[in-house]
Amino acid sequence: MNALTPLFSHRKHWAHRFGTAPFLPMSRAEMDLLGWDACDVILVTGDAYVDHPSFGMAIVGRLLEAQGFRVGIIAQPDWTSAEPFKALGRPTLYFGITGGNMDSMVNRYTSDKRLRHDDAYTPGGEGGKRPDRAVIVYAQRVREAYRDVPVVLGGIESSLRRIAHYDYWSDKVRRSILVDAKADILIYGNAERALVEVSHRIAKGAKPADLDDVRGVALMKPAVPEGWTEVHADDLDVADEGARKSGPMSVVRLPAFEQVAQDREAYARASRVLHRESNPGNARPLVQRHGDRELWVTAPPIPLTTPEMDGVYDLPYARAPHPAYGDAKIPAWEMIRFSVTIMRGCFGGCSFCSITEHEGRIIQSRSEGSILKEIENVRDKTEGFTGIISDIGGPTANMYRMACKDRETEALCRKPSCVFPDVCPNLNTSHDDLIKLYRKARAVPGVKRVMVASGVRYDLAVKSPAYIKELVAHHVGGYLKIAPEHTEEGPLSKMMKPGIGSYDRFKQLFDAAVQAAGKKYFLIPYFIAAHPGTSDEDMMNLALWLKKNKYRADQVQTYLPSPMALSTAMYHSGVNPLKGVRHGGSEEVETVKGLRQRRLHKAFLRYHDAENWPLLREALKAMGRADLIGPGKHQLVPAWQPPGTGLTGGEGRRMGAKKGAQVFLTKGVERPGRPSPIAATPSEPPARKGPGGASGPGGRAEPGAGRPRGPAKRG
């Protein structure tokens, strides 16, 4: 079965289909109502089951249903025993396991490794409904329940842990999650193609271990198959030269797990190879030794065509949580229920973000017709709709239908970003199709407003002043969130983000559009504290920039090293994989690991909060910048301390400090509790979970930190 076969043209599993279920069954009673004696595939997920294309298990389940498979869902099972995993009986084909729309460790812990007490993907927002490393735990319980049933891993947690990876929470390099879960096969990325092919071939009797020709999978082998030429990738230049000599049957050997676990530069080399081998047009399979076996990772999946994307989003979703949850609110659902995804993928390549590693750099866009049809479905089928589409976007708001001007060039390119250090001249940056889509969406009867909540890539937006005008006039409500991330060249170069000048140009165009439209809108910039490559001086300069521009961040984001991201390799190894890692010629990267320094960097972002002043004064003195302590406009923090602030524990309480109180200063005058009108940077915003996209048997989301804020994702 060729990987390029159109997604919906496969032969159906059943000659006579059972029809579409109103919801995929979560109990034997529901199976009985459908006339099923068994499920073919059972999906186990760490999220509540919401039958909506923003939730990965819904896309996977509905896609398999469209292929004629009977699909059941076990959502947020009690993992302390195997019994809940027997609720739907033994599947005829396999168990599909995902941690959910977020990596379970990101979902459960903050960037300071503190346990979260809420979970946006759980009814009532209740925390603790999934275990740490959920994929591994669920796989173990499935094996206990039915030892001989194949186990297929998918979703964000599996996708970003498909090779040996640094794990922030244990502070060590862990084996591929496929090894630790003792599963049969792992499907990574947006995996509709692989999912359909793997399912049909297993249904025909194939063993998962024999599916090494399917794109977008990882599996274990005793050895590299005959006929393949190994390219040892100690350096990518060597790998590329080897590939030219060896021909198409070449596999790139990553340093073994045992080596990367001990040698940080070897880890950085492996990271560089992985990211360079990510273009479906030229990527080769990867192999990495784990003990006495080989981890085999096939080339990334071919992106979906527009008709195939339309087919995925046109599936018969109920567009609601499963009735078993009753009236319980699921926060993630509440935030995305009136949103519509128009595309997936991101060519930004920000080193701290895992969108590219998961969804790919090639933008996959839906047709106008499919998008407008979904807007009509939101209008007609979503309870509580008031006429407002809360977001029309994707991983970024404004990459719709953007692509390389030359497909041959695109197929050969190995650059990690199309927009860093500058926008590639081969990139089509036209916003015309997006503007047309916005206008048609606004014209749908019954729709009052169409908002854009996804992050706007401002270095692209400045290429189209007409787009900025359209955005401001019709699609912004109060404020617009964008992500310059920093002001200083050091951290920006490690993040692969444009200089602050791009933000300044965007702000000029935005302010002009606001004035022309007669609006009162504000820009809310996001910034990251403690990212690799950031010095204390960098954070000090950022704080001075914030004060000069009268920005007061109410909540801030501290960098969290998510699995497989390039910046995570920098954090762990102390070198920059992008610059090459070979023979001691590496570019060293300053990392921020100590809790005190991480808190200091965060405090610089909240320079206006009196609770941070003692720490900042101490740091400024140590940096030789005591001149920034005082009441002047050019100074950062005052020399005095309001009573009851800047203290902890019993001493602070005895002095009358109120728990959670915030102190804001205006022109040097203390005004307790008076927030700035531009003080709304979410604390550790999650990577955009959706809407849409399949990651094997489960979620499709970006690991970020924090709670969902709609379908937007920072770009």
Side-chain angles (χ1 to χ4, degrees):
M1 192 172 295
N2 192 300
L4 292 175
T5 302
L7 193 63
F8 292 93
S9 67
H10 292 271
R11 183 174 62 83
K12 303 301 182 185
H13 178 56
W14 290 92
H16 172 70
R17 292 185 56 210
F18 287 86
T20 298
F23 285 88
L24 302 176
M26 289 180 33
S27 67
R28 288 303 296 258
E30 292 173 82
M31 291 170 58
D32 291 341
L33 289 174
L34 294 169
W36 298 1
D37 60 344
C39 292
D40 299 310
V41 178
I42 296 177
L43 305 177
V44 181
T45 174
D47 293 340
Y49 169 34
V50 180
D51 198 59
H52 186 280
S54 292
F55 290 77
M57 82 292 290
I59 282 189
V60 170
R62 291 300 188 184
L63 179 60
L64 290 175
E65 180 188 53
Q67 297 292 319
F69 296 102
R70 299 169 296 176
V71 183
I73 290 184
I74 298 176
Q76 297 188 319
D78 177 0
W79 66 90
T80 57
S81 77
E83 288 306 311
F85 296 81
K86 300 178 182 178
L88 303 181
R90 178 192 299 269
T92 65
L93 297 182
Y94 64 81
F95 275 98
I97 295 178
T98 173
N101 275 6
M102 291 176 67
D103 181 281
S104 63
M105 298 303 288
V106 175
N107 180 279
R108 283 177 54 79
Y109 296 94
T110 70
S111 59
D112 290 333
K113 302 183 181 179
R114 294 176 179 173
L115 184 67
R116 301 185 193 276
H117 298 291
D118 63 333
D119 184 341
Y121 297 94
T122 300
E126 182 181 357
K129 290 297 184 180
R130 76 187 78 212
D132 290 357
R133 312 189 195 287
V135 168
I136 297 173
V137 175
Y138 291 160
Q140 291 171 343
R141 295 296 176 264
V142 163
R143 287 295 194 205
E144 292 175 19
Y146 303 104
R147 184 165 299 276
D148 58 338
V149 176
V151 174
V152 180
L153 305 185
I156 192 74
E157 185 165 345
S158 299
S159 184
L160 299 184
R161 296 173 182 267
R162 59 186 181 262
I163 67 170
H165 57 280
Y166 173 73
D167 181 80
Y168 172 65
W169 296 271
S170 59
D171 192 27
K172 68 178 184 181
V173 175
R174 295 179 64 94
R175 299 182 297 184
S176 164
I177 197 171
L178 181 67
V179 178
D180 285 344
K182 297 180 174 62
D184 295 282
I185 191 170
L186 183 156
I187 302 178
Y188 70 86
N190 288 135
E192 286 93 350
R193 290 186 187 281
L195 177 70
V196 169
E197 185 165 357
V198 165
S199 299
H200 279 288
R201 288 174 63 172
I202 291 178
K204 292 178 180 178
K207 296 180 180 179
D210 298 330
L211 302 179
D212 58 1
D213 59 333
V214 178
R215 278 179 170 265
V217 305
L219 42 78
M220 302 304 297
K221 288 179 169 293
V224 174
E226 292 185 7
W228 287 86
T229 301
E230 292 188 28
V231 179
H232 290 264
D234 285 338
D235 185 273
L236 268 183
D237 296 332
V238 176
D240 292 341
E241 180 63 26
R244 286 191 288 271
K245 293 179 179 179
S246 59
M249 291 287 287
S250 61
V251 56
V252 180
R253 176 166 290 283
L254 301 177
F257 160 70
E258 291 77 10
Q259 183 180 0
V260 297
Q262 300 297 324
D263 184 341
R264 298 193 176 198
E265 287 204 355
Y267 183 91
R269 289 198 299 274
S271 177
R272 185 176 183 225
V273 171
L274 178 75
H275 288 84
R276 287 286 297 274
E277 297 293 328
S278 62
N279 183 346
N282 58 37
R284 295 156 288 193
L286 306 175
V287 64
Q288 186 178 50
R289 194 78 174 172
H290 280 63
D292 61 354
R293 294 191 297 165
E294 301 282 8
L295 172 70
W296 182 272
V297 182
T298 64
I302 299 295
L304 297 187
T305 64
T306 293
E308 288 171 333
M309 281 278 286
D310 290 350
V312 168
Y313 285 90
D314 290 345
L315 292 169
Y317 304 100
R319 306 189 68 84
H322 191 280
Y325 302 121
D327 295 330
K329 302 291 186 181
I330 301 173
W333 155 247
E334 296 296 325
M335 288 189 174
I336 58 82
R337 62 193 302 187
F338 304 124
S339 66
V340 176
T341 293
I342 62 176
M343 46 76 67
R344 65 166 69 152
C346 180
F347 49 70
C350 302
S351 65
F352 54 82
C353 181
S354 299
I355 296 176
T356 300
E357 286 73 31
H358 186 56
E359 296 192 12
R361 291 179 175 82
I362 297 175
I363 302 303
Q364 301 160 73
S365 300
R366 296 170 63 186
S367 69
E368 284 184 351
S370 176
I371 294 166
L372 297 176
K373 178 181 177 181
E374 184 172 355
I375 291 175
E376 291 173 349
N377 284 337
V378 172
R379 177 196 64 194
D380 299 337
K381 299 179 180 180
T382 306
E383 184 179 352
F385 181 64
T386 61
I388 299 176
I389 299 296
S390 61
D391 182 39
I392 181 169
T396 57
N398 58 322
M399 289 186 182
Y400 181 68
R401 290 189 178 175
M402 290 188 182
C404 188
K405 297 174 183 177
D406 182 358
R407 291 297 184 183
E408 292 185 4
T409 299
E410 179 182 69
L412 296 173
C413 183
R414 292 185 182 273
K415 291 182 178 179
S417 171
C418 299
V419 291
F420 180 85
D422 297 301
V423 176
C424 178
N426 289 323
L427 180 66
N428 171 23
T429 60
S430 172
H431 288 66
D432 292 349
D433 288 336
L434 187 55
I435 292 172
K436 292 176 184 177
L437 175 63
Y438 285 173
R439 292 173 178 172
K440 291 182 179 180
R442 297 198 305 268
V444 172
V447 172
K448 298 175 183 177
R449 294 201 69 185
V450 177
M451 309 305 295
V452 173
S454 300
V456 172
R457 186 79 194 199
Y458 54 91
D459 49 348
L460 292 176
V462 296
K463 303 288 186 180
S464 176
Y467 170 75
I468 298 175
K469 292 179 181 178
E470 190 83 12
L471 189 70
V472 168
H474 301 286
H475 303 284
V476 176
Y479 56 85
L480 178 69
K481 297 170 283 188
I482 62 173
E485 310 296 5
H486 217 284
T487 58
E488 305 305 296
E489 177 61 25
L492 287 173
S493 66
K494 306 305 182 294
M495 297 175 184
M496 293 204 296
K497 292 287 289 187
I500 196 65
S502 292
Y503 167 82
D504 293 336
R505 288 192 293 275
F506 178 82
K507 187 176 186 303
Q508 290 173 358
L509 292 171
F510 179 85
D511 289 345
V514 166
Q515 184 176 6
K519 307 287 187 179
K520 291 185 178 180
Y521 293 159
F522 302 94
L523 280 182
I524 304 296
Y526 287 124
F527 297 97
I528 295 179
H531 188 277
T534 308
S535 66
D536 296 350
E537 288 76 12
D538 289 330
M539 293 306 302
M540 177 191 71
N541 290 333
L542 172 54
L544 291 170
W545 184 92
L546 289 170
K547 183 172 184 180
K548 178 182 177 181
N549 288 277
K550 300 179 181 179
Y551 283 126
R552 294 182 174 186
D554 188 37
Q555 294 177 307
V556 299
Q557 178 187 8
T558 305
Y559 167 70
L560 189 157
S562 59
M564 215 171 85
L566 275 167
S567 58
T568 301
M570 298 180 202
Y571 177 89
H572 173 61
S573 68
V575 298
N576 185 358
L578 299 173
K579 299 297 183 180
V581 186
R582 187 183 182 189
H583 306 312
S586 309
E587 178 191 12
E588 294 186 1
V589 177
E590 184 175 359
T591 57
V592 184
K593 294 187 175 181
L595 182 59
R596 181 175 179 80
Q597 191 181 18
R598 285 173 66 85
R599 287 178 175 171
L600 172 62
H601 283 207
K602 187 174 181 179
F604 271 119
L605 285 180
R606 285 185 52 78
Y607 67 90
H608 54 277
D609 189 340
E611 298 293 341
N612 294 323
W613 292 349
L615 178 61
L616 292 175
R617 282 193 290 263
E618 180 184 350
L620 290 171
K621 290 175 183 177
M623 295 164 64
R625 294 305 309 269
D627 59 299
L628 295 177
I629 302 172
K633 290 183 178 180
H634 66 286
Q635 294 172 309
L636 195 60
V637 295
W640 59 280
Q641 190 70 30
T645 63
L647 301 171
T648 59
E651 182 179 3
R653 288 191 293 272
R654 285 193 299 272
M655 295 185 67
K658 295 181 180 180
K659 183 178 180 180
Q662 293 182 348
V663 177
F664 295 86
L665 300 183
T666 301
K667 296 183 179 179
V669 179
E670 180 188 357
R671 299 187 181 182
R674 180 177 183 269
S676 163
I678 321 178
T681 303
S683 176
E684 302 170 332
R688 165 186 165 143
K689 151 214 61 63
S695 305
R700 160 213 183 279
E702 225 11 68
R707 306 294 67 149
R709 62 178 199 313
K713 178 94 181 174
R714 303 171 58 253

